[in-house]
Amino acid sequence: MEIFLMVALGALTIFFLIELRRTLRRSGTAVELINKFLSDRNTSELIDRIYEFALNEGRLNKIVKKYGADRSDFLRLHEKLMLWGDFRKYNRYVPITSFFYAGSLEYLLEHKDDDAKSLTEQMMNYFHI
């Protein structure tokens, strides 16, 4: 019984460390993009980086494939979010951060034809802004 508990504890520890690494990588990438593109506004390179991250991250990749999203969908959603959410609060910037979380990305892709104001309000609620 003790061996089973030790193995279970070891597995939980490994799972925790993997998820912590994934979360830190996601947060680090989002903050890096916010710092770089807040003043630059080169949306082409920004969208490329966001789309690449979404394709390389397991959970986000499943959502992108589920909705058949491509780079143009990300660009159109980013433009909509820029209309009403172009401000930064701490390490949150709605037009960028919204693409890095599974829940917010799924909502955006599911409602990509909604108007800009409702999408931005939903993302601001998601991030408690």
Side-chain angles (χ1 to χ4, degrees):
M1 185 66 174
E2 285 183 32
I3 293 174
F4 174 74
L5 291 175
M6 293 301 285
V7 169
L9 180 63
L12 284 173
T13 302
I14 290 171
F15 176 74
F16 174 77
L17 292 174
I18 290 171
E19 289 299 311
L20 181 64
R21 181 179 177 271
R22 186 184 69 79
T23 301
L24 290 174
R25 188 174 68 102
R26 175 187 63 197
S27 180
T29 303
V31 170
E32 173 194 346
L33 291 177
I34 291 168
N35 289 334
K36 181 175 182 180
F37 292 101
L38 191 62
S39 60
D40 186 7
R41 307 292 181 170
N42 181 359
T43 57
S44 179
E45 183 183 349
L46 172 64
I47 298 302
D48 290 340
R49 298 268 311 265
I50 291 172
Y51 187 66
E52 178 185 326
F53 183 85
L55 291 178
N56 292 329
E57 208 280 320
R59 292 180 185 155
L60 300 180
N61 187 19
K62 290 178 186 176
I63 295 169
V64 169
K65 287 183 179 179
K66 177 181 175 182
Y67 292 99
D70 58 3
R71 187 188 177 285
S72 63
D73 291 328
F74 277 64
L75 178 61
R76 191 174 47 208
L77 288 167
H78 177 73
E79 289 171 351
K80 285 183 177 184
L81 293 173
M82 284 293 289
L83 291 175
W84 291 90
D86 188 18
F87 62 91
R88 181 177 183 171
K89 182 174 181 184
Y90 306 116
N91 285 332
R92 300 280 192 244
Y93 183 61
V94 172
I96 294 176
T97 311
S98 300
F99 296 98
F100 284 87
Y101 292 85
S104 61
L105 180 62
E106 183 155 20
Y107 182 86
L108 286 173
L109 293 175
E110 186 177 337
H111 297 90
K112 63 184 170 187
D113 295 326
D114 289 1
D115 65 301
K117 185 176 182 181
S118 67
L119 282 176
T120 305
E121 285 176 348
Q122 195 67 27
M123 291 302 101
M124 290 171 66
N125 288 338
Y126 185 85
F127 294 115
H128 305 289
I129 295 176

